[in-house]
Amino acid sequence: LTPECSSYLNADKVLVSGFSCPRAGGDARAVFCCGFQDVKYCCDDPHSFFPYEHSYMWWLSVGALVGLSIAAVVLFAFIITVCVLCYLFISTKPRSKLDTGLSLQTA
């Protein structure tokens, strides 16, 4: 990573001119150019991916947990339903063998 952020087109297709890091009036420790093709910013961690506060990632994690929880409940309900249906099928099966109408006789 370099301390120079080249110009780029942002998400609104507006050209943002290049700049050097650290920026004037910004954090003096932010000496790296970070970001993506449509958003660039100065940062102090060259492995940083998001220019947002950690709360952004927190809400992303909460959303993922809620989605996984709903999926787990649906899967659990499906398994319980299958077990109940199997039990009902087995318990309502006739106990005696079917009468074929033929009686076995010894010769």
Side-chain angles (χ1 to χ4, degrees):
L1 294 174
T2 64
E4 298 291 325
C5 286
S6 60
S7 59
Y8 62 95
L9 288 175
N10 67 11
D12 298 324
K13 305 296 183 205
V14 176
L15 180 67
V16 177
S17 58
F19 52 90
S20 296
C21 296
R23 294 184 93 160
D27 188 353
R29 296 171 298 163
V31 295
F32 298 103
C33 180
C34 297
F36 302 100
Q37 290 181 347
D38 60 348
V39 59
K40 294 182 181 180
Y41 58 98
C42 296
C43 63
D44 60 349
D45 180 5
H47 303 292
S48 174
F49 292 107
F50 293 98
Y52 310 108
E53 295 296 325
H54 293 294
S55 61
Y56 172 83
M57 298 302 292
W58 167 252
W59 283 111
L60 185 66
S61 299
V62 169
L65 287 175
V66 168
L68 287 173
S69 299
I70 291 171
V73 167
V74 169
L75 180 64
F76 185 69
F78 176 76
I79 291 172
I80 294 296
T81 303
V82 168
C83 291
V84 167
L85 289 176
C86 285
Y87 173 76
L88 290 175
F89 177 76
I90 291 170
S91 66
T92 57
K93 215 173 173 182
R95 297 271 179 228
S96 61
K97 293 185 177 181
L98 291 175
D99 184 13
T100 59
L102 300 174
S103 59
L104 297 176
Q105 296 179 359
T106 57

